[in-house]
Amino acid sequence: MKTKGTRTNKVNIVTLGCSKNLVDSEVLYTQLKGNGYDVVHESKKDNAEIVVINTCGFIDGAKEESIETILRYADAKDRGVVDKVYVTGCLSHRYKDELAVEIPTVDAWFGTNELPRLLKTLKADYKHELVGERLLTTPAHYAYLKIAEGCDRPCSFCAIPLMRGGHISRPIDELVGEARSLAKRGMKELILIAQDLTYYGLDIYKKRNLADLMNQLADVEGIDWIRLQYAYPSGFPLDVLDVMRERSNICKYLDMPLQTGSTEMLKAMRRGITREKTEALIETIRERVPSIALRTTLIVGHPGETEELFEETYQFVEKMRFERLGVFQYSHEENTHSHTMVDDVPAEVKQERADAIMELQQSISWELNQEKIGKEYKVLFDRKEGGYFIGRTESDSPEVDNEVLLPAASNYVRLGDFTKVRITEAEEFDLYAELVTE
Ligand code: SF4
């Protein structure tokens, strides 16, 4: 069935979920471009014959969003606006048999490790020469670098290993090659991602090799910022901190999901660490890398989290004063270890606990931000919006952390450039600035 109007072989890739999924979409984008397809990412215009939806299957909310997106494009196909709808990514990997029955309009479903089959279905060849030549969907000045796939950790609540498989590190030379290619194309900030960065190398180099990788990436010309996201606390390789302290182009920033501040809950979550050891690690990190910005994420409402145990997490947040923090409500995911437990924390209590933590973090972040007023920072400007140039300091990762706002009426900066600013005003999360004229 030929859709209305003249169109060339256009593919619209729609990405849901995390930055790791975004990298997968970029790899697909690059391969399709390399095969002569006209490819767009997240196009709002319904002028593509083919839609590939890269889904997320992490927790309830993310699954709902993925299904809504699939149904939207299935409906577009039924209305003749789209010819083909293909679904890949984590939700498809986990539920494709059920979903294929429930949503028969979708032409085909693919797992997270089925890029070759997806390409074949699109009559495209897998081009090895394009490995490392990834086209970006992010602004050209920053890029995610996925250093490994999958995860070997046993966290009781987590379905990711079910969707992404076991941990597989990518070889250092391949990663350095990709970083070089990205830097040649103007990338200045490289964000290292994986399910667990700290596991890097244990499979292919038989040792934790993140520090070595960081050093080799820091040697790549043109990269001003290297950022670490998704580190795991237990068995944390301390040599990473020395490299972070010694190399000027490695951000003094670490994202380390800790999930809870209660030893009893850490045990139930099978995190392999205690509250005491977590605090000791945080102390060591802050000692070895002064001025580091620590980001963490927590889960509230895990089975067995009584009011008293939640209080322990609340006090943990109060005491540790993280620079950046996010919170998830526990989602009862089938085939995970936690699913064998009773989901005994009511939804409204999960919500109350998440609100309480974020309210506390808001006041901590406000206090920490006040200390920045009058100080000067190197800021990477990402976009212009609502009368402001919006950027980030070294302590802020894209999409998830604080932002610096520079009035556009009285200032001009080039997006993608580093610019020195002075903080003039500070809110809970946003900072307002003026240009520093040398
Ligand atoms: S480290 Fe734990 S929470 Fe993170 S992806 Fe692996 S199993 Fe899931």
Side-chain angles (χ1 to χ4, degrees):
M1 173 178 64
K2 191 80 191 106
T3 48
K4 288 192 241 48
T6 55
R7 253 175 280 167
T8 55
N9 228 350
K10 192 165 195 160
V11 180
N12 180 18
I13 301 173
V14 177
T15 305
L16 298 153
C18 67
S19 51
K20 285 147 273 192
N21 232 19
L22 187 68
V23 169
D24 292 350
S25 288
E26 291 174 343
V27 170
L28 173 63
Y29 183 101
T30 309
Q31 288 287 334
L32 290 177
K33 267 261 191 239
N35 278 274
Y37 267 100
D38 176 7
V39 197
V40 289
H41 185 250
E42 309 266 327
S43 163
K44 295 285 172 282
K45 293 190 239 121
D46 278 337
N47 62 355
E49 291 162 325
I50 301 169
V51 175
V52 179
I53 306 164
N54 188 6
T55 58
C56 176
F58 181 39
I59 53 175
D60 282 348
K63 292 192 273 187
E64 280 154 28
E65 188 194 3
S66 290
I67 288 175
E68 274 159 27
T69 307
I70 297 168
L71 291 174
R72 175 171 140 13
Y73 285 104
D75 174 60
K77 184 182 170 196
D78 290 340
R79 288 184 288 112
V81 177
V82 164
D83 271 3
K84 298 279 183 191
V85 177
Y86 299 110
V87 180
T88 186
C90 291
L91 183 87
S92 179
H93 190 98
R94 197 170 170 194
Y95 301 110
K96 60 178 175 298
D97 300 340
E98 300 93 315
L99 289 169
V101 175
E102 283 162 30
I103 318 176
T105 311
V106 168
D107 294 275
W109 303 81
F110 301 87
T112 52
N113 48 8
E114 292 195 282
L115 176 63
R117 187 168 74 87
L118 172 54
L119 288 172
K120 200 157 174 246
T121 306
L122 291 164
K123 300 188 181 42
D125 311 318
Y126 183 78
K127 295 186 179 295
H128 288 278
E129 67 275 20
L130 293 177
V131 172
E133 296 303 320
R134 180 165 45 101
L135 299 173
L136 299 179
T137 60
T138 52
H141 58 267
Y142 74 80
Y144 296 101
L145 184 69
K146 185 154 64 166
I147 69 170
E149 183 58 278
C151 189
D152 288 356
R153 300 279 184 178
C155 306
S156 63
F157 52 83
C158 185
I160 292 174
L162 302 172
M163 302 180 283
R164 292 275 165 182
H167 180 98
I168 303 173
S169 303
R170 292 178 61 198
I172 285 191
D173 54 358
E174 192 181 294
L175 292 166
V176 171
E178 187 164 334
R180 238 186 238 118
S181 157
L182 291 165
K184 275 203 196 100
R185 286 179 276 141
M187 183 269 305
K188 296 175 181 161
E189 177 184 10
L190 191 65
I191 305 160
L192 307 192
I193 57 172
Q195 303 303 347
D196 171 12
L197 288 179
T198 63
Y199 219 83
Y200 181 75
L202 273 176
D203 51 337
I204 55 175
Y205 302 120
K206 305 297 170 230
K207 63 175 179 149
R208 294 178 186 275
N209 217 17
L210 181 58
D212 186 13
L213 172 63
M214 289 162 68
N215 257 322
Q216 295 199 33
L217 291 172
D219 292 339
V220 174
E221 209 182 316
I223 304 182
D224 296 281
W225 278 354
I226 294 171
R227 188 181 301 281
L228 271 57
Q229 268 201 264
Y230 309 107
Y232 196 90
S234 141
F236 186 92
L238 297 176
D239 55 356
V240 161
L241 303 173
D242 303 329
V243 177
M244 188 181 277
R245 187 185 57 248
E246 284 148 20
R247 304 300 304 257
S248 60
N249 60 347
I250 297 184
C251 295
K252 311 311 173 240
Y253 174 95
L254 182 68
D255 165 57
M256 186 164 63
L258 294 168
Q259 312 304 0
T260 175
S262 146
T263 293
E264 198 173 323
M265 290 316 299
L266 284 165
K267 198 153 175 266
M269 289 178 171
R270 304 199 305 187
R271 293 286 291 179
I273 194 167
T274 62
R275 158 82 175 257
E276 292 66 34
K277 285 205 174 122
T278 304
E279 288 195 14
L281 173 61
I282 292 169
E283 207 179 307
T284 302
I285 292 172
R286 285 176 166 160
E287 254 166 36
R288 294 223 190 164
V289 188
S291 79
I292 191 169
L294 268 180
R295 172 183 176 80
T296 195
T297 36
L298 303 172
I299 293 177
V300 294
H302 185 273
E305 188 187 63
T306 59
E307 203 47 52
E308 292 71 33
L309 294 178
F310 170 67
E311 196 45 44
E312 287 181 26
T313 295
Y314 190 92
Q315 286 162 4
F316 174 65
V317 173
E318 224 165 14
K319 183 177 176 188
M320 291 294 118
R321 293 176 67 77
F322 294 100
E323 284 74 19
R324 312 279 180 263
L325 182 144
V327 64
F328 287 100
Q329 297 176 39
Y330 171 74
S331 178
H332 207 42
E333 295 300 317
E334 66 269 14
N335 303 324
T336 63
H337 178 68
S338 297
H339 201 259
T340 63
M341 307 171 194
V342 180
D343 186 7
D344 55 1
V345 181
E348 61 279 8
V349 175
K350 285 182 179 128
Q351 185 66 59
E352 281 161 19
R353 289 177 184 174
D355 294 346
I357 294 280
M358 281 323 292
E359 208 178 300
L360 170 61
Q361 183 59 24
Q362 210 165 334
S363 63
I364 290 170
S365 183
W366 186 85
E367 288 160 17
L368 293 172
N369 275 352
Q370 298 315 302
E371 295 162 16
K372 294 189 165 71
I373 296 176
K375 293 194 178 140
E376 297 180 0
Y377 292 90
K378 176 181 162 181
V379 167
L380 181 55
F381 282 94
D382 297 320
R383 67 184 193 283
K384 189 177 175 196
E385 192 185 299
Y388 290 95
F389 290 104
I390 300 179
R392 293 168 291 112
T393 70
E394 178 180 345
S395 306
D396 300 296
S397 199
E399 315 271 339
V400 290
D401 288 329
N402 299 4
E403 291 183 320
V404 176
L405 283 69
L406 182 72
S410 50
N411 299 286
Y412 174 76
V413 292
R414 214 168 51 167
L415 299 183
D417 274 6
F418 288 98
T419 307
K420 209 171 193 183
V421 305
R422 183 178 304 107
I423 304 303
T424 54
E425 210 186 315
E427 294 177 344
E428 288 88 351
F429 301 118
D430 290 342
L431 301 169
Y432 293 82
E434 62 187 8
L435 284 180
V436 170
T437 43
E438 304 297 352

